[in-house]
Amino acid sequence: MPAHTLTLSHTHTHTHSDINSSLSEASWPSGTECVAKYNFQGSTEQDLPFCKGDLLTIIGVTKDPNWYKAKNSVGREGMIPANYVQKREGVKSGGKLSLMPWFHGKITREQAERLLYPPETGLFLARESTNYPGDYTLCVSCDGKVEHYRIIYHDGKLSIDEEEYFDNLMQLVEHYTKDADGLCTRLIKPKLMEGTVAAQDEFSRSGWAMNRKDLKLIQTIGKGEFGDVMVGDYRGTKVAVKCIKHDATAQAFLAEASVMTQLRHTNLVQLLGVIVEERGSLFIVTEYMAKGSLVDYLRSRGRTVLGGECLLKFSLDVCEAMEYLEANNFVHRDLAARNVLVSDDNIAKVSDFGLTKEASSTQDTAKLPVKWTSPEALREKKFSTKSDVWSYGVLLWEIYSFGRVPYPRIPLKEVVPRVEKGYKMEAPDGCPAAVYDLMKQCWTLDPAGRPSFRLLREKLQHIRAKELHL
């Protein structure tokens, strides 16, 4: 317990009329999310008890700056002490988030020695081996000089002494921080690569780190090339968990997790927290979407179950999420019905921010889903909100065809040349003309000629209003 919790003398006789609408500069606005740093039992009926790690939402301030009115995840409201909670912020680290901030990549032996100067026993870094390409070197300062240990890569495992073997560098470093085990000293202090930030520290600082002990993994619901997606239980709440085991892959997913901390919308799958394990695993914990992917949902229910109003609602749900991303200058890059999930109460939410980047950057096009990607993104790697609009047109087609694969009966290698000549898919059976018209607008070859998501949302709302008044 912190010393300053003594301010909790229960002289507060707070009533609902204490809630002061004029927010002081030090106070957090209504709707701010925070995480409990300690347990709080409360001593009056008006208090809201909570446990360390609980998520709370501020719903008002009081005249006493030490107290907030808040609600918990099940909607119970009450008073909480301000110094028992930490505000949740988006991870906007100026440096590059790293699971291995002590890994310096391709540097020479001499550069490593300069970095470990002045000598400090236990100061260490890892680098790629210059003499043995594919191997690593562990460089450790000890008694005024630097020792270089070759890390041998053998049968997918790493070892220094060929007695102890490790799956990845993180496990190896973790082992030698606990025990020198033959090295000149145990690893005490990492020499961080300039510009990097330790991921665990950054997620903790901004209030997104979860405790692994509180997470129970129940069953696998999906397998991807990067790891498993599982259903889990986090302190009594059903959650979805992306489990990424390999350190290099986990490093790539840090970007996805940090993007998700900055985004909040009812039609985006919500990040709940991140667990970074010392042994190289990364768990991204999100809200659980009971009805799975939109493409599977459409295929399994079909037109006998899903009416036009339902299809239009899904179209609007996705459009509103994309309008929010557009307004915040984020580009999704992989918008498709497979990357939209459906909640228990039939709300469609956009997921998979794996490729999401700040607007208008470039990327490798080798792995791009050709049928969903705009011509300029395929040809010149130009990604923008307008390339997302193209993908949204394809997603609309998927919705109205009940999950069919786009460009039916056209061989994959012919899709791009035909599209570039102006070919557009025909309207799915039963698709309203006004909706098909929107699809065609999304497939304008010149990106500048495509509508914005805001305009698309307005047009869809107009179509919906007309249908409801028929």
Side-chain angles (χ1 to χ4, degrees):
M1 282 284 176
H4 60 261
T5 54
L6 295 173
T7 57
L8 273 186
S9 57
H10 247 278
T11 51
H12 68 293
T13 50
H14 38 240
T15 61
H16 289 290
S17 60
D18 284 340
I19 304 298
N20 184 349
S21 59
S22 59
L23 296 172
S24 72
E25 288 196 340
S27 68
W28 301 334
S30 184
T32 300
E33 277 207 342
C34 48
V35 187
K37 294 195 286 187
Y38 317 102
N39 296 337
F40 173 60
Q41 287 169 338
S43 57
T44 78
E45 281 186 8
Q46 293 159 323
D47 291 339
L48 177 65
F50 52 77
C51 298
K52 181 180 177 180
D54 282 357
L55 280 185
L56 302 157
T57 306
I58 304 296
I59 53 176
V61 287
T62 64
K63 288 202 176 80
D64 181 346
N66 297 317
W67 291 86
Y68 283 111
K69 187 176 183 194
K71 66 176 179 185
N72 62 17
S73 56
V74 294
R76 186 176 163 193
E77 298 181 3
M79 305 305 289
I80 63 165
N83 55 356
Y84 270 49
V85 292
Q86 170 191 9
K87 181 179 175 182
R88 264 198 159 175
E89 301 173 73
V91 174
K92 288 194 176 82
S93 143
K96 182 177 182 295
L97 285 185
S98 177
L99 290 171
M100 307 186 291
W102 35 260
F103 180 65
H104 290 247
K106 284 185 177 166
I107 59 168
T108 64
R109 185 185 180 102
E110 292 71 35
Q111 284 170 314
E113 289 178 0
R114 278 202 295 277
L115 286 167
L116 295 175
Y117 188 87
E120 183 182 338
T121 293
L123 187 66
F124 73 94
L125 62 82
R127 61 183 172 87
E128 287 182 37
S129 172
T130 37
N131 296 341
Y132 303 95
D135 287 352
Y136 299 111
T137 306
L138 181 64
C139 312
V140 191
S141 179
C142 184
D143 297 335
K145 62 181 195 293
V146 175
E147 299 289 347
H148 299 264
Y149 296 93
R150 180 181 168 196
I151 300 170
I152 298 156
Y153 190 73
H154 183 68
D155 280 346
K157 299 273 187 185
L158 301 174
S159 180
I160 286 178
D161 55 12
E162 298 193 54
E163 286 174 23
E164 288 274 356
Y165 284 89
F166 306 94
D167 290 333
N168 56 45
L169 277 177
M170 289 171 75
Q171 286 183 20
L172 181 140
V173 165
E174 185 199 8
H175 173 79
Y176 289 107
T177 51
K178 295 189 173 125
D179 185 351
D181 196 13
L183 302 188
C184 57
T185 170
R186 74 180 182 85
L187 308 180
I188 298 167
K189 183 178 167 187
K191 174 68 183 179
L192 302 190
M193 184 172 171
E194 198 175 330
T196 59
V197 183
Q200 176 63 39
D201 297 351
E202 185 58 25
F203 284 118
S204 297
R205 186 199 64 72
S206 53
W208 291 93
M210 282 182 158
N211 192 330
R212 177 69 181 90
K213 293 189 198 75
D214 292 332
L215 177 68
K216 292 188 197 73
L217 296 174
I218 300 165
Q219 70 178 89
T220 304
I221 50 172
K223 283 193 178 292
E225 54 182 311
F226 305 119
D228 296 344
V229 178
M230 300 188 75
V231 177
D233 179 290
Y234 189 76
R235 309 175 77 155
T237 301
K238 205 172 191 185
V239 294
V241 189
K242 263 189 190 172
C243 311
I244 297 131
K245 292 284 194 293
H246 191 274
D247 52 352
T249 313
Q251 177 64 51
F253 273 87
L254 283 178
E256 170 170 4
S258 62
V259 163
M260 290 179 82
T261 66
Q262 299 168 48
L263 303 171
R264 177 164 308 262
H265 188 277
T266 34
N267 298 112
L268 291 176
V269 172
Q270 182 57 48
L271 177 72
L272 300 176
V274 177
I275 298 166
V276 180
E277 281 198 324
E278 286 177 327
R279 298 180 66 80
S281 293
L282 175 69
F283 299 94
I284 298 178
V285 184
T286 63
E287 62 179 315
Y288 174 67
M289 302 290 282
K291 292 185 176 174
S293 82
L294 178 59
V295 73
D296 292 339
Y297 185 84
L298 291 163
R299 286 172 185 169
S300 61
R301 286 160 184 80
R303 61 184 80 238
T304 48
V305 178
L306 304 175
E309 198 180 321
C310 181
L311 301 182
L312 200 51
K313 169 146 184 333
F314 285 150
S315 306
L316 260 167
D317 283 349
V318 176
C319 196
E320 287 181 20
M322 296 309 296
E323 182 184 2
Y324 169 83
L325 290 184
E326 176 179 72
N328 285 280
N329 215 22
F330 278 101
V331 179
H332 189 287
R333 303 166 160 235
D334 195 12
L335 185 60
R338 63 180 172 275
N339 289 334
V340 174
L341 301 177
V342 183
S343 71
D344 202 26
D345 48 357
N346 279 4
I347 296 170
K349 304 195 185 199
V350 174
S351 81
D352 268 348
F353 300 88
L355 295 173
T356 308
K357 296 281 188 298
E358 295 283 351
S360 76
S361 56
T362 60
Q363 77 170 67
D364 175 31
T365 51
K367 294 176 182 165
L368 290 174
V370 168
K371 291 182 173 186
W372 284 264
T373 307
S374 69
E376 75 278 3
L378 286 169
R379 197 175 51 241
E380 303 157 49
K381 303 185 184 182
K382 278 192 178 161
F383 287 87
S384 64
T385 295
K386 295 300 190 190
S387 60
D388 277 351
V389 168
W390 179 286
S391 307
Y392 179 73
V394 180
L395 184 144
L396 275 181
W397 189 92
E398 289 184 276
I399 289 174
Y400 279 87
S401 64
F402 296 90
R404 285 187 75 189
V405 177
Y407 301 97
R409 297 182 294 282
I410 298 179
L412 187 60
K413 64 178 186 298
E414 286 179 30
V415 170
V416 178
R418 286 181 68 168
V419 164
E420 288 188 330
K421 288 193 185 98
Y423 173 79
K424 292 180 170 67
M425 284 187 283
E426 290 168 19
D429 289 346
C431 173
V435 174
Y436 180 54
D437 195 48
L438 289 188
M439 291 180 205
K440 289 192 291 189
Q441 289 174 40
C442 293
W443 302 329
T444 304
L445 284 175
D446 176 6
R450 293 172 206 155
S452 65
F453 281 110
R454 182 178 172 184
L455 185 63
L456 286 165
R457 193 248 315 145
E458 287 169 356
K459 289 186 173 186
L460 284 167
Q461 283 177 331
H462 185 65
I463 293 167
R464 190 184 197 181
K466 279 175 90 171
E467 284 200 358
L468 292 176
H469 289 130
L470 284 177

